[in-house]
Amino acid sequence: MSSSSGSAPRSALSVRTSSVDIPTPDGTVDAYVCHPADGGPYPAVLLYMDAFGVRPHLKGMAERLAAAGYAVLLPNVMYRSGRAPLVELPAFINPAERPEIIERIRPAMLGLTPDAAMRDAGVYLDWLEASPLTNGGPVGITGYCMGAGLALRTAGTYPERVAAAAGFHGAYLATDAPDSPHLLADRITAELYFGHADNDSTNPVDQIDRLGKSLTAAGVRHRAEVYEGAHHGFTQADTAMHSSEATQRHWTALLDLLARTL
């Protein structure tokens, strides 16, 4: 398992991994799949990437989830712009390089409209349901950065198919836009967890408050915590934004949510 994913739990299972191509009406998604090596079927988890995409560190996070007893699908959600990695990434992304990398990725990010993303989400859920690796039941979702918004949006778009959804250092979760993901709150039946970054320009206090109020008003089971001192991207150990303490807190919260709901 990738060391960047954090130390493995003591009861970690051996993991098998593979790469798959999944057809969609808009093209072919390249995705990473991992699951425990023995036994099964397993509860399914959909892992939504951050903006930097499917890469060794994120694969390591998927492997850690699989080692805890889940069949995990990690799709390249920006497949319309090319296979992962969309741009060449350094082994470690430092603050000086980050803005230029984001600018190169931005067109692909903007091209992933909410409608397109949710068409894709249905394909991912169908693939997981049909896979012999999974138990065919409702899935858990975890998402990072832009992936947190995709997790929230998927829970609201496919409520009967999502048992749990978590988002960490999420971006633009509750904006003034008419298609902001928080506006789907009244459709959500899953249990949610959010680990917000402190002082995050992509998810300021007013949006955190708006998200919480919308979920409470809709009667959604949820918990949201602000990780004090943690920066946007705190789970990503191949970036300078990483926090070991906040990452471990994220693992504890995520694995607890999945164990309780799947």
Side-chain angles (χ1 to χ4, degrees):
M1 257 189 292
S2 169
S3 62
S4 66
S5 63
S7 58
R10 292 182 182 179
S11 59
L13 304 172
S14 296
V15 169
R16 288 182 180 172
T17 68
S18 60
S19 296
V20 298
D21 284 347
I22 303 173
T24 82
D26 298 336
T28 301
V29 179
D30 51 306
Y32 187 68
V33 177
C34 44
H35 56 90
D38 300 318
Y42 312 98
V45 174
L46 173 59
L47 195 165
Y48 277 129
M49 61 188 228
D50 65 347
F52 296 128
V54 179
R55 60 196 191 280
H57 167 68
L58 218 57
K59 290 179 178 180
M61 296 183 73
E63 290 162 16
R64 175 159 179 173
L65 278 173
Y70 302 99
V72 183
L73 177 67
L74 168 60
N76 167 27
V77 303
M78 295 189 288
Y79 69 92
R80 291 174 181 82
S81 298
R83 299 178 70 88
L86 294 184
V87 301
E88 184 176 351
L89 296 171
F92 185 82
I93 301 170
N94 63 48
E97 297 168 310
R98 186 183 183 97
E100 180 184 353
I101 294 171
I102 291 294
E103 281 306 306
R104 284 187 280 152
I105 296 171
R106 191 177 302 280
M109 295 170 62
L110 295 175
L112 185 64
T113 65
D115 286 346
M118 290 305 97
R119 285 200 305 274
D120 294 342
V123 173
Y124 307 147
L125 295 174
D126 286 345
W127 188 93
L128 286 167
E129 184 177 7
S131 172
L133 298 172
T134 77
N135 62 14
V139 309
I141 305 176
T142 184
Y144 303 87
C145 181
M146 60 176 279
L150 294 176
L152 177 58
R153 200 179 293 279
T154 304
T157 304
Y158 299 96
E160 72 285 356
R161 306 183 70 178
V162 179
F168 298 92
H169 45 84
Y172 311 112
L173 300 176
T175 71
D176 295 326
D179 58 358
S180 176
H182 80 287
L183 297 175
L184 296 171
D186 61 355
R187 298 188 55 190
I188 293 172
T189 59
E191 182 175 345
L192 306 185
Y193 176 88
F194 291 96
H196 300 299
D198 194 13
N199 298 317
D200 185 347
S201 62
T202 71
N203 189 35
V205 172
D206 63 313
Q207 290 194 38
I208 292 174
D209 183 60
R210 183 182 297 141
L211 174 62
K213 287 180 177 177
S214 68
L215 295 174
T216 298
V220 178
R221 293 167 298 155
H222 72 282
R223 183 179 180 188
E225 299 179 303
V226 175
Y227 291 18
E228 292 186 10
H231 298 287
H232 181 79
F234 61 75
T235 63
Q236 305 303 301
D238 58 351
T239 80
M241 315 306 283
H242 179 246
S243 163
S244 296
E245 181 180 355
T247 297
Q248 186 53 52
R249 183 176 175 182
H250 134 274
W251 281 119
T252 299
L254 175 59
L255 292 173
D256 180 65
L257 174 69
L258 297 177
R260 188 169 61 250
T261 56
L262 298 186

